């Protein structure tokens, strides 16, 4: 952000604080939770298609899964949810789940093994962006009905080979593992879409809440699921308002118009804390801030150029200024706290080293485009890169757009460089190894939109692909840790990704808000435990 913009922001904050001190203190209803967050990334609410942060937050609160992560006890790992128990066959390839009795969907229909089988089959058959999470077990649209079956109150899942049971169950905690109401969904099928069009803006779950409305770039409203069979949440209604500006979120929080602000910058965190009546809670997230260079670009695909960019990031400068307290330097694809995470940080801002690498690649002058979502910290990261790249003769043009616009171009492999955040889909190292470091088919026809390596057009080496495949089936914990650390070393040395920071989410909230969790490093926000 330039000096002029900073001055404008300071004026806006000052005016906001002045207004809030003059206005009578407002308060949200005792049974309502109101949150300000950036939710312009929501493209769909269908759990078989949703693959964005804000959409996953909605899914976690309206759908249940076979197993789940307890927001009040995340260290315990997955726990039984719609499945009360499970057994693994002797060959390790089949898991049989026993479904819990007496659970109902928001429609009043009972939750059956048939619904669970349909939901997982449907996710594979639709083959939307997150389908690779299930596809890695050998499920395809052609064999899904054979590999995933219901028999009475039992659901059997048979994989193509033996995997660690914990790996499979961790994957089933992901958004794509949500169980939908088959009868309701298929009653709203259009032209063989298995209810996909309807579920983009409606829900058919058994979770604590149901969706009342989603207004793109405006709000999401949820209310209690009248047929929820668990303990009744204290928050009978949840409203998530799309508020992009940190200063605006701060004003709303200080006035009492919202209960939680999720996107305050460091300056506003300090200011709102000093104002009183507000507390700030920190959670180390699994979200990684990264840059991706397009492997189809004739210059950016050169190994020396990729490495040069890693020396053109002002890691320390950004961490200690506009990212202060909200991001910590991290240069590996596995977030801290994950099995196999590496603490190696070999890169720092080194203009001369970058110049040497660019000279080796024969690069003299270059103009590229970076795609950036309308989020203050990402724009400032792009501007920092614009400054350091200029020092080695590279002109960076920054294109700012909505999450949908920028993600669309990234997924189409059109951007020279992408500035983004990636969050794990489930609490196992394969969640990121399989997206950052695995790409067995780099053709345009593969359309592997769920794989970041494919989105960047990176021809991952056969050796790295094989190493990722081997690590996911390795049964020895220590050996598996070493395998992921070895993969990350090769990744740092060869990939077109510049992993820069791991996120520390600072949620500012009124002091009376209790038990709010954004899910720490492994999952999404949970609203049902919240009290005021």
């Amino acid at each position: 952000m330039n000096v002029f913009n900073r001055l404008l922001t300071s004026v806006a904050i000052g005016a906001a604080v002045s207004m809030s001190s003059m206005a009578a203190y407002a308060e949200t209803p005792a049974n309502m939770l109101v949150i300000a967050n950036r939710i312009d990334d929501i493209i769909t609410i269908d759990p078989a298609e949703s693959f964005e942060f804000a959409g996953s937050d909605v899914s976690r609160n309206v759908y249940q899964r076979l197993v789940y992560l307890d927001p009040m006890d995340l260290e315990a790992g997955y726990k039984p949810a719609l499945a009360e128990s499970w057994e693994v066959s002797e060959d390790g390839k089949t898991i049989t789940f026993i479904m819990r009795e007496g659970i109902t969907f928001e429609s009043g229909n009972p939750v059956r093994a048939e619904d669970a089988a349909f939901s997982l089959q449907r996710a594979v058959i639709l083959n939307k962006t997150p389908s690779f999470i299930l596809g890695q077990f050998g499920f395809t649209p052609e064999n899904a009905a054979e590999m995933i079956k219901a028999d009475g109150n039992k659901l059997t899942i048979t994989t193509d080979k033996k995997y660690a049971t914990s790996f499979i169950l961790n994957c089933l905690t992901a958004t794509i593992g949500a169980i939908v109401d088959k009868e309701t969904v298929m009653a709203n099928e259009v032209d063989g879409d298995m209810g996909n069009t309807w579920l983009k803006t409606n829900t058919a779950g058994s979770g604590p809440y149901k969706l009342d409305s989603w207004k793109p770039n405006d709000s999401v409203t949820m209310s209690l699921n009248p047929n929820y069979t668990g303990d009744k949440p204290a928050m009978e209604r949840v409203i998530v308002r799309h508020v992009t500006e940190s200063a605006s979120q701060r004003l709303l929080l200080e006035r009492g118009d919202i209960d939680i602000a999720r996107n305050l910058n460091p300056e506003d965190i300090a200011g709102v804390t000093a104002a009183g009546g507000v507390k700030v809670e920190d959670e180390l997230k699994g979200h990684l801030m990264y840059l991706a260079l397009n492997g189809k670009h004739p210059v950016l695909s050169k190994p020396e150029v990729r490495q040069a960019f890693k020396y053109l990031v002002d890691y320390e400068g950004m961490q200690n200024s506009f990212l202060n307290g909200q991001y910590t330097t991290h240069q590996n694809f596995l977030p801290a706290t994950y099995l196999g995470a590496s603490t190696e940080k070999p890169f720092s801002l080194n203009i001369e080293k970058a110049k040497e690498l660019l000279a080796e690649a024969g690069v003299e002058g270059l103009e590229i485009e970076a795609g950036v979502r309308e989020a203050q910290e990402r724009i400032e990261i792009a501007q920092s890169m614009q400054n350091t790249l200029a020092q080695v003769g590279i002109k960076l043009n920054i294109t700012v757009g909505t999450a949908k616009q920028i993600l669309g171009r990234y997924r189409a492999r059109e951007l020279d460089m992408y500035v983004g955040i990636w969050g794990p889909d489930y609490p196992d190292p394969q969640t990121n190894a399989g997206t950052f470091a695995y790409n067995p088919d780099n053709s345009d026809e593969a359309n592997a939109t769920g794989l970041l390596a494919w989105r960047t057009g990176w021809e991952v080496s056969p050796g790295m692909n094989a190493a990722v495949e081997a690590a996911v089936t390795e049964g020895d914990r220590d050996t598996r840790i070493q395998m992921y650390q070895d993969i990350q070393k090769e990744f740092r040395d060869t990939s077109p990704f510049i992993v820069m920071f791991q996120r520390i989410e600072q949620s500012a909230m009124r002091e009376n808000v209790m038990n709010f969790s954004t899910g720490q490093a492994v999952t999404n926000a949970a609203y049902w435990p919240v009290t005021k």
Side-chain angles (χ1 to χ4, degrees):
M1 182 180 290
N2 60 36
V3 173
F4 180 66
N5 283 339
R6 285 189 183 278
L7 287 171
L8 285 179
T9 300
S10 298
V11 171
I13 292 172
V17 173
S18 176
M19 287 172 61
S20 64
S21 64
M22 294 169 60
Y25 170 67
E27 190 173 77
T28 60
N31 63 350
M32 180 187 295
L33 183 66
V34 184
I35 301 168
N37 192 20
R38 297 183 192 128
I39 60 171
D40 61 326
D41 63 340
I42 301 179
I43 297 171
T44 174
I45 306 297
D46 187 344
E49 184 177 19
S50 177
F51 204 52
E52 293 72 40
F53 294 128
S56 295
D57 283 346
V58 176
S59 178
R60 190 179 189 207
N61 290 277
V62 300
Y63 290 105
Q64 292 181 296
R65 295 153 184 74
L66 296 171
V67 292
Y68 87 121
L69 299 169
D70 184 345
M72 299 294 100
D73 188 19
L74 287 167
E75 292 185 1
Y78 53 79
K79 292 182 177 181
L82 293 179
E84 65 179 13
S85 63
W86 51 85
E87 296 178 353
V88 182
S89 62
E90 289 187 12
D91 65 5
K93 294 171 62 177
T94 299
I95 302 179
T96 300
F97 296 91
I98 307 300
M99 300 296 291
R100 195 181 300 277
E101 300 286 348
I103 308 296
T104 55
F105 290 109
E106 60 185 81
S107 66
N109 293 332
V111 177
R112 309 161 298 170
E114 184 177 346
D115 296 294
F118 167 77
S119 299
L120 300 179
Q121 292 169 5
R122 174 180 179 273
V124 174
I125 293 168
L126 287 177
N127 198 29
K128 300 294 184 179
T129 300
S131 64
F132 72 93
I133 296 172
L134 299 177
Q136 61 192 334
F137 300 116
F139 305 148
T140 67
E142 292 73 29
N143 69 19
E146 188 63 29
M147 307 283 275
I148 305 168
K149 292 182 176 180
D151 181 12
N153 73 332
K154 295 180 179 180
L155 171 75
T156 59
I157 295 177
T158 302
T159 56
D160 58 346
K161 56 187 175 184
K162 180 180 179 179
Y163 297 92
T165 302
S166 60
F167 172 51
I168 299 172
L169 295 178
N170 279 329
C171 286
L172 292 176
T173 67
T175 297
I176 201 169
I179 305 306
V180 303
D181 181 347
K182 178 182 179 180
E183 300 301 324
T184 299
V185 170
M186 291 307 289
N188 289 280
E189 182 181 40
V190 177
D191 298 328
D193 71 348
M194 302 187 80
N196 174 244
T197 301
W198 185 78
L199 276 180
K200 287 179 184 289
T201 55
N202 295 275
T203 53
S206 60
Y209 297 98
K210 63 181 181 66
L211 180 70
D212 290 335
S213 69
W214 161 43
K215 300 175 183 177
N217 301 323
D218 181 82
S219 64
V220 169
T221 302
M222 291 171 276
S223 62
L224 287 182
N225 171 2
N227 290 305
Y228 180 55
T229 46
D231 294 334
K232 179 182 176 181
M235 299 296 101
E236 297 181 11
R237 196 174 188 202
V238 178
I239 299 174
V240 184
R241 296 174 56 181
H242 177 56
V243 183
T244 59
E245 293 296 329
S246 174
S248 299
Q249 289 196 16
R250 175 182 170 183
L251 171 60
L252 291 168
L253 185 64
E254 289 182 339
R255 289 172 61 99
D257 293 333
I258 62 173
D259 298 298
I260 301 172
R262 293 190 61 182
N263 306 114
L264 297 189
N265 62 31
E267 292 174 358
D268 285 326
I269 285 288
V272 80
T273 304
V278 171
K279 61 183 178 180
V280 176
E281 295 186 355
D282 295 358
E283 292 184 69
L284 181 66
K285 303 293 290 183
H287 301 165
L288 301 175
M289 185 75 78
Y290 71 97
L291 306 175
L293 305 178
N294 195 328
K296 302 178 76 173
H297 190 285
V299 176
L300 298 179
S301 60
K302 294 183 178 182
E304 299 88 353
V305 175
R306 291 172 181 167
Q307 293 307 95
F309 270 70
K310 295 168 189 176
Y311 289 103
L312 290 168
V313 178
D314 189 3
Y315 304 93
E316 184 176 351
M318 288 190 282
Q319 178 183 302
N320 294 334
S321 57
F322 61 86
L323 298 179
N324 186 37
Q326 299 187 339
Y327 286 88
T328 181
T329 299
H330 189 81
Q331 297 179 353
N332 302 280
F333 66 66
L334 285 181
T337 76
Y338 269 65
L339 183 76
S342 172
T343 59
E344 293 294 320
K345 292 185 285 188
F347 306 109
S348 60
L349 179 60
N350 189 331
I351 300 297
E352 294 306 314
K353 176 70 173 177
K355 286 180 177 178
E356 291 174 9
L357 288 164
L358 292 171
E360 288 179 29
V363 177
E364 293 184 11
L366 178 66
E367 184 171 345
I368 59 173
E369 177 196 20
V372 187
R373 177 184 170 185
E374 292 174 329
Q376 181 178 328
E377 72 278 4
R378 297 193 209 183
I379 294 172
E380 293 197 57
I381 286 172
Q383 290 171 336
S384 175
M385 288 299 299
Q386 191 177 51
N387 175 55
T388 53
L389 288 170
Q391 296 177 53
V392 296
I394 298 176
K395 181 180 180 182
L396 180 66
N397 300 314
I398 301 172
T399 299
V400 179
T402 66
K404 184 176 182 179
Q405 290 168 337
I406 300 300
L407 276 172
R409 293 190 61 199
Y410 180 38
R411 290 172 175 171
R413 313 211 281 188
E414 294 176 358
L415 292 170
D416 298 329
M417 186 169 84
Y418 173 71
V419 183
I421 291 181
W422 181 259
D425 295 299
Y426 49 88
D428 185 275
Q430 178 64 13
T431 185
N432 279 11
T435 53
F436 277 100
Y438 185 72
N439 187 19
D441 184 355
N442 194 44
S443 68
D444 290 339
E445 292 72 26
N447 198 28
T449 54
L451 304 176
L452 295 187
W454 181 87
R455 290 183 191 175
T456 63
W458 180 28
E459 292 275 5
V460 176
S461 71
M464 183 176 286
N465 281 326
V468 171
E469 291 176 353
V472 76
T473 58
E474 175 56 51
D476 182 81
R477 188 176 186 274
D478 291 338
T479 301
R480 195 174 185 220
I481 288 173
Q482 187 59 54
M483 293 172 78
Y484 282 116
Q485 292 187 344
D486 291 343
I487 294 169
Q488 286 172 100
K489 182 182 186 306
E490 183 179 349
F491 177 88
R492 291 192 303 269
D493 292 342
T494 63
S495 84
F497 294 99
I498 302 99
V499 181
M500 302 177 290
F501 306 105
Q502 183 169 346
R503 187 181 183 192
I504 301 168
E505 180 159 357
Q506 294 184 303
S507 298
M509 62 194 77
R510 303 301 309 180
E511 287 184 332
N512 64 334
V513 176
M514 307 296 292
N515 299 328
F516 174 68
S517 171
T518 67
Q520 297 179 26
V522 296
T523 186
N524 305 101
Y527 307 136
W528 70 91
V530 174
T531 61
K532 293 198 293 186

